[in-house]
């Protein structure tokens, strides 16, 4: 190929790459991502895995490694590391442990409820006690106790 033809081809390839980046379009198939530095498409690593080595062939899978203990990746991904698992606070207990495909879930310890109002900081509060009234809804991990309103007859009326 003569030098002028090579130069025209290089410009066309560069323009095609810029159009792809500008429009967000890719030549990759669903379930793949573009490795821009290699101009290749790679299949995503499955949930619970991360990319440990990028591909050397187009439309193939790179090297995927399972997330280490204490980390997870909930969805298929092109990321080169897993996400650290959440830690429960002292006023919380573990509902579900962390697994390679899901984060740890925490809730307030029994006898406490979580205050999710804008007026509250992120912490658990002790459940309200119903003094001399009936409990309409018991306290749980997401809401406080709801007590029945006790109506007192007015003094002096029969």
């Amino acid at each position: 190929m003569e030098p002028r033809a090579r130069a025209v081809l290089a410009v066309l390839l560069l323009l095609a790459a810029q159009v792809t980046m500008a429009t967000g379009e890719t030549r990759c198939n669903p379930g793949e991502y573009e490795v821009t530095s290699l101009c290749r498409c790679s299949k995503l690593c499955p949930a619970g895995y991360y990319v440990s080595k990028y591909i050397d062939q187009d439309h193939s899978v790179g090297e995927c490694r399972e997330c280490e203990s204490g980390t997870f990746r909930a969805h298929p991904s092109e990321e080169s590391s897993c996400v650290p698992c959440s830690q429960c606070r002292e006023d919380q207990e573990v509902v579900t442990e962390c697994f390679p495909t899901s984060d740890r879930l925490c809730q307030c310890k029994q006898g406490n409820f979580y205050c999710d109002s804008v007026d509250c900081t992120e912490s658990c509060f002790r459940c309200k006690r119903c003094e001399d009234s009936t409990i309409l809804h018991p306290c749980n991990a997401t809401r406080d106790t709801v007590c029945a309103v006790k109506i007192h007859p007015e003094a002096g009326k029969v």
Side-chain angles (χ1 to χ4, degrees), residues 4-5 10 14 29 32 37 39-40 46 49-50 55-56 77 81 96 105 120 125-126 128 139 147:
R4 182 172 168 90
L14 183 61
N29 299 322
E32 292 182 337
S37 61
C39 294
R40 294 189 176 134
Y49 289 79
Y50 68 97
I55 60 166
D56 48 11
S77 169
S81 64
T96 306
L105 295 177
C120 300
F125 295 96
R126 188 157 289 296
K128 179 170 51 173
C139 180
C147 303

Side-chain angles (χ1 to χ4, degrees), residues 49-81:
Y49 289 79
Y50 68 97
V51 177
S52 61
K53 183 178 176 186
Y54 288 101
I55 60 166
D56 48 11
Q57 287 186 338
D58 207 15
H59 301 286
S60 66
V61 178
E63 235 178 78
C64 299
R65 288 217 174 123
E66 188 171 13
C67 294
E68 290 90 20
S69 178
T71 65
F72 76 100
R73 181 87 26 224
H75 305 285
S77 169
E78 64 198 64
E79 300 298 326
S80 60
S81 64

Side-chain angles (χ1 to χ4, degrees), residues 104-125:
R104 177 177 290 117
L105 295 177
C106 306
Q107 72 177 17
C108 293
K109 290 180 179 176
Q110 189 171 359
N112 292 294
F113 75 98
Y114 175 71
C115 182
D116 60 358
S117 155
V118 292
D119 301 327
C120 300
T121 58
E122 188 175 306
S123 60
C124 298
F125 295 96

